[in-house]
Amino acid sequence: MNSRKVVYLFFSTLLIGSLSGTIVGFILDYQVYIEDTFLNLIFGLIWLMGISAAFSLISQMGFFAYLTVHRFGLGLFKSQKLWNAVQIIIIVFVIFDLIYFRFLAFAEPGETIFGYFLMPLLLLAYGLIIAYIKAKDTNKGAFVPALFFIVVITTIEWVPALTVNDTKWLWLYVTPLLVANTWQLLVLHRLTRA
């Protein structure tokens, strides 16, 4: 992949992630941005674009870190099947942790653990869809790495918002992460082919 394609990947990911976060952030706090002057709206949108751009940059760092870890894992385990099995085990642990540890940290007295199932299961379902698309576009061996990237790496990148447990921040943070991660994952093989 030449430098022009790397620059394209960087800026397209930044733009797509920033726009997605800005749109979701605006929808989540619509009243705050329109209640005062026009400048309030403009500065609010600039702030949303900036914070979403920062999340998109985190996504890009996670993507290139995963590419390195993936190569390291393939070399360490000497077999794609074994490395895929390790990744599946890690995915299961991450989904469990998203449910159980968030329940331990944030549950109110009398609250059941079932309320903490929705977010991790939605992330897993989204990861399965994206992994299926990636495998269909490339080869079936890409399914588990794509699922691992969407579930595990996105969760690692999402940790600062997960520790706050504010619904607005959870959505504002995860939207650019998921959009940027999905874009990078689905466009990389097209860039490397051409």
Side-chain angles (χ1 to χ4, degrees):
M1 193 158 84
N2 61 32
S3 59
R4 186 179 57 80
K5 292 178 183 178
V6 171
V7 170
Y8 169 78
L9 182 62
F10 174 80
F11 282 109
S12 63
T13 303
L14 187 64
L15 179 65
I16 290 169
S18 299
L19 288 176
S20 66
T22 302
I23 292 167
V24 168
F26 183 75
I27 291 169
L28 289 174
D29 263 349
Y30 179 78
Q31 289 299 329
V32 171
Y33 299 112
I34 64 162
E35 71 183 9
D36 206 10
T37 65
F38 183 70
L39 282 177
N40 183 55
L41 173 66
I42 296 301
F43 287 127
L45 290 175
I46 290 170
W47 181 82
L48 285 171
M49 185 74 86
I51 199 80
S52 299
F55 302 151
S56 296
L57 291 173
I58 291 169
S59 165
Q60 292 186 50
M61 287 187 290
F63 183 65
F64 287 104
Y66 175 68
L67 292 177
T68 303
V69 167
H70 182 65
R71 284 289 151 211
F72 179 74
L74 287 172
L76 181 68
F77 292 103
K78 307 281 191 234
S79 157
Q80 185 167 355
K81 284 186 179 183
L82 184 56
W83 173 229
N84 283 349
V86 169
Q87 290 181 96
I88 290 170
I89 291 167
I90 294 171
I91 291 168
V92 170
F93 273 107
V94 166
I95 295 297
F96 172 80
D97 290 351
L98 275 174
I99 296 168
Y100 185 68
F101 289 122
R102 289 193 71 243
F103 171 74
L104 288 181
F106 302 115
E108 301 291 329
E111 190 177 10
T112 66
I113 196 169
F114 296 108
Y116 293 87
F117 273 78
L118 181 63
M119 183 185 61
L121 293 181
L122 285 175
L123 180 62
L124 179 62
Y126 182 80
L128 288 168
I129 292 166
I130 298 305
Y132 171 77
I133 293 168
K134 177 71 173 182
K136 192 173 142 215
D137 284 353
T138 56
N139 60 63
K140 65 181 182 176
F143 184 85
V144 173
L147 180 62
F148 182 89
F149 176 69
I150 292 293
V151 173
V152 176
I153 302 302
T154 301
T155 301
I156 292 169
E157 296 164 347
W158 199 16
V159 164
L162 291 172
T163 58
V164 174
N165 199 41
D166 178 351
T167 305
K168 181 182 87 170
W169 275 102
L170 287 173
W171 283 107
L172 182 62
Y173 207 118
V174 79
T175 302
L177 288 177
L178 274 179
V179 169
N181 283 344
T182 302
W183 171 253
Q184 292 173 104
L185 190 65
L186 296 181
V187 81
L188 181 67
H189 62 275
R190 290 180 175 92
L191 291 175
T192 55
R193 266 191 220 145

